[in-house]
Amino acid sequence: KNQVEQSPQSLIILEGKNCTLQCNYTVSPFSNLRWYKQDTGRGPVSLTIMTFSENTKSNGRYTATLDADTKQSSLHITASQLSDSASYICVVSDRGSTLGRLYFGRGTQLTVWP
Amino acid sequence: EADIYQTPRYLVIGTGKKITLECSQTMGHDKMYWYQQDPGMELHLIHYSYGVNSTEKGDLSSESTVSRIRTEHFPLTLESARPSHTSQYLCASSESSGTGDEQFFGPGTRLTVL
C-alpha cells in the first residue's frame, strides 16, 4: 500500500532555532516529492519539489533533501521565525497514472515560540 | 499567492440543506480538484476534472457532486447535508509541467453541519 509517513506529528521550537522534519514514503513508482506549507485556515502552498535525481534543494531558509534509495526526505528550517508556524505536508506523486496521483502525509504541526 | 478562490470561507447550516461550495481559478488550468481535510489528517481527493465536461470521483467516497461547465469554475454540491459532512473542503488546480503537476490550492471552505 502506498503511504507517506511524517514525523514528528508536532514540534515546538523557539524563534531563531533550526529544526528538521522527516518524511518516509513507500510510493512506487516515484515521480516527485513536494513539501507544502499550510497556514491555519489556508490552503497548502508548495515550498520545494524534489525529483528522483535531486538530493538537495533550497528555498530561502528551507532546505529539502531526498534519498530515493531509502525513500526518505527531510525539510530543514534554518533560523526559524514566528511566521514559520504552520503545518508542513509531504506529498509524493507516482507516475503510474495520467493524473499523476498524489499521496499526502498527515503533516507536521510546527509552532515557533518567541 | 495563487489565483484560486473559494466561497464561502465558512458555512454553518442545518441538516438536510442543499449547499454549493464555489471554486474558481483565473490561471487557465485544465485540471481541478476537490479535497476533504479533517484536523490532523491527510487530504483526501473526492473529485477531479481534466477539463470542461470532465469529472471523476476521487479516492474518498463522497455524497457530493461536481460540475465543470467552464474551465475556470468547479463547484461542489451537497444535495442534503449531514453532520458527517462537517469538514474542511479545499479546491485546487494544476497544469502539467515537466517536473510534475504543482497543485495550487484555494483557501478552503470550513463547513459545519448541525
Side-chain angles (χ1 to χ4, degrees):
Chain A
K1 179 181 177 182
N2 288 323
Q3 285 187 318
V4 178
E5 301 287 342
Q6 292 188 243
S7 61
Q9 182 177 347
S10 62
L11 181 63
I12 299 174
I13 61 173
L14 294 177
E15 186 178 15
K17 297 297 186 182
N18 304 335
C19 67
T20 300
L21 314 180
Q22 300 290 343
C23 174
N24 297 337
Y25 62 92
T26 60
V27 176
S28 181
F30 173 86
S31 175
N32 60 71
L33 182 149
R34 287 185 187 272
W35 283 94
Y36 280 85
K37 178 187 180 187
Q38 184 176 20
D39 292 312
T40 301
R42 308 293 297 180
V45 175
S46 179
L47 293 174
T48 65
I49 178 172
M50 306 289 289
T51 57
F52 186 86
S53 59
E54 295 175 306
N55 299 120
T56 303
K57 183 174 285 187
S58 292
N59 176 7
R61 294 180 297 102
Y62 301 105
T63 299
T65 66
L66 175 67
D67 185 334
D69 292 330
T70 62
K71 299 187 175 182
Q72 295 180 325
S73 176
S74 67
L75 181 68
H76 185 75
I77 303 175
T78 303
S80 61
Q81 300 176 358
L82 299 180
S83 59
D84 292 332
S85 295
S87 178
Y88 292 83
I89 303 172
C90 176
V91 184
V92 180
S93 175
D94 69 14
R95 55 180 186 224
S97 70
T98 304
L99 183 63
R101 165 91 187 262
L102 299 183
Y103 297 85
F104 289 82
R106 294 186 176 186
T108 291
Q109 183 65 47
L110 174 66
T111 303
V112 181
W113 282 1
Chain B
E1 192 81 14
D3 295 321
I4 180 164
Y5 309 97
Q6 290 185 243
T7 57
R9 293 292 314 279
Y10 304 91
L11 181 60
V12 181
I13 61 168
T15 297
K17 299 293 185 182
K18 176 180 179 179
I19 61 168
T20 296
L21 307 185
E22 301 288 348
C23 176
S24 60
Q25 50 96 6
T26 59
M27 297 173 283
H29 289 167
D30 288 328
K31 299 178 182 177
M32 296 190 74
Y33 317 81
W34 275 104
Y35 292 91
Q36 190 171 335
Q37 184 184 31
D38 293 314
M41 301 297 288
E42 64 267 45
L43 277 71
H44 290 287
L45 181 66
I46 52 176
H47 296 283
Y48 61 95
S49 167
Y50 290 135
V52 172
N53 294 325
S54 154
T55 61
E56 301 287 343
K57 288 189 179 296
D59 307 316
L60 184 67
S61 175
S62 174
E63 295 165 345
S64 59
T65 59
V66 292
S67 63
R68 190 87 184 275
I69 299 173
R70 304 198 314 266
T71 298
E72 63 271 21
H73 197 212
F74 192 40
L76 180 145
T77 299
L78 275 168
E79 291 293 332
S80 180
R82 295 205 301 270
S84 61
H85 296 138
T86 294
S87 188
Q88 164 113 327
Y89 292 85
L90 289 164
C91 180
S93 70
S94 72
E95 63 175 0
S96 296
S97 67
T99 53
D101 295 358
E102 175 179 358
Q103 295 194 9
F104 295 87
F105 287 85
T109 293
R110 181 160 296 282
L111 173 65
T112 302
V113 184
L114 303 176

